[in-house]
Amino acid sequence: DAGVTQSPTHLIKTRGQQVTLRCSPKSGHDTVSWYQQALGQGPQFIFQYYEEEERQRGNFPDRFSGHQFPNYSSELNVNALLLGDSALYLCASNHRVLGIEKLFFGSGTQLSVL
Amino acid sequence: GIQVEQSPPDLILQEGANSTLRCNFSDSVNNLQWFHQNPWGQLINLFYIPSGTKQNGRLSATTVATERYSLLYISSSQTTDSGVYFCAVGDRGSTLGRLYFGRGTQLTVWP
């Protein structure tokens, strides 16, 4: 049973560029949440997708957008990258209907913006 | 959103020692989870514990929701316990996947 998988593992971009990060949830999970973790900080909630719609959103600008596909996988897009967007981006999944309470996280994508 | 404070920020132990990590939160919660982040960044779920006490091997956790705190106990610590321990909570208006994290406790266990 595969866990949550994310790609790529590392990425280097320059200011102003756009980036797309990908996530496949744990088997049987239909809800995907994205988090940003800056160095030395706890993860911060970006947004959550369920049934291909954004359900909740944290305090992040519109430069951060996402998508969920029919197979429940998800993408996080960040436009007009800033130096401050450098962070570990984490994807988490859970099963909304069955009410599985634990979140399962992927290993993350380390994004560096130069 | 809910404020989450963890203490201590850093903890250094020798193998075999016991430790207690604390998490205080500012409002009522419907979800509280403890995570361990290893040096490679992987967050591992240790406990889902919005109230009560649970044990899993050398680890145990207690949440007193009415007093807005949770404790994580690590007994007979091992070098593999090193890493950052996070407490994360969900407020009553949020879905399951939305958690507010503390800044973590950095645990280092020496042989």
Side-chain angles (χ1 to χ4, degrees), chain B residues 28-82:
Chain B
S28 300
V29 300
N30 64 358
N31 189 346
L32 189 147
Q33 301 187 36
W34 282 96
F35 294 89
H36 174 224
Q37 189 167 41
N38 64 25
W40 298 272
Q42 178 78 52
L43 273 169
I44 305 297
N45 193 302
L46 300 174
F47 293 104
Y48 167 78
I49 187 166
S51 63
T53 297
K54 289 186 178 179
Q55 180 158 7
N56 184 4
R58 297 181 296 103
L59 302 181
S60 64
T62 295
T63 297
V64 183
T66 53
E67 297 187 23
R68 299 181 184 169
Y69 74 89
S70 183
L71 302 174
L72 177 68
Y73 305 96
I74 305 174
S75 64
S76 304
S77 57
Q78 301 175 358
T79 56
T80 51
D81 294 331
S82 297

Side-chain angles (χ1 to χ4, degrees), chain A residues 35 37 48 100-101 105 107, chain B residues 33 37 42 95-97 99:
Chain A
Y35 285 79
Q37 185 178 17
Q48 180 184 82
I100 296 175
E101 301 92 350
F105 280 85
S107 298
Chain B
Q33 301 187 36
Q37 189 167 41
Q42 178 78 52
T95 60
L96 169 61
L99 295 178

Side-chain angles (χ1 to χ4, degrees), chain A residues 24-96:
Chain A
S24 292
K26 186 176 170 65
S27 178
H29 287 189
D30 56 8
T31 303
V32 173
S33 303
W34 286 92
Y35 285 79
Q36 180 195 67
Q37 185 178 17
L39 193 62
Q41 306 290 320
Q44 275 196 293
F45 177 80
I46 302 174
F47 44 52
Q48 180 184 82
Y49 278 84
Y50 171 68
E51 290 189 341
E52 303 179 49
E53 289 189 1
E54 184 183 290
R55 301 292 293 193
Q56 286 212 319
R57 188 178 183 92
N59 189 24
F60 279 81
D62 292 343
R63 297 186 298 109
F64 290 76
S65 64
H67 188 76
Q68 186 178 34
F69 299 94
N71 66 353
Y72 308 131
S73 66
S74 177
E75 290 182 348
L76 165 65
N77 301 292
V78 187
N79 294 322
L81 284 167
L82 304 174
L83 296 180
D85 296 331
S86 295
L88 179 67
Y89 288 84
L90 295 162
C91 171
S93 74
N94 63 280
H95 195 309
R96 177 181 170 89

Side-chain angles (χ1 to χ4, degrees), chain A residues 13-24:
Chain A
K13 292 286 189 178
T14 56
R15 280 179 297 175
Q17 284 189 314
Q18 179 264 345
V19 68
T20 297
L21 311 181
R22 295 176 176 82
C23 171
S24 292

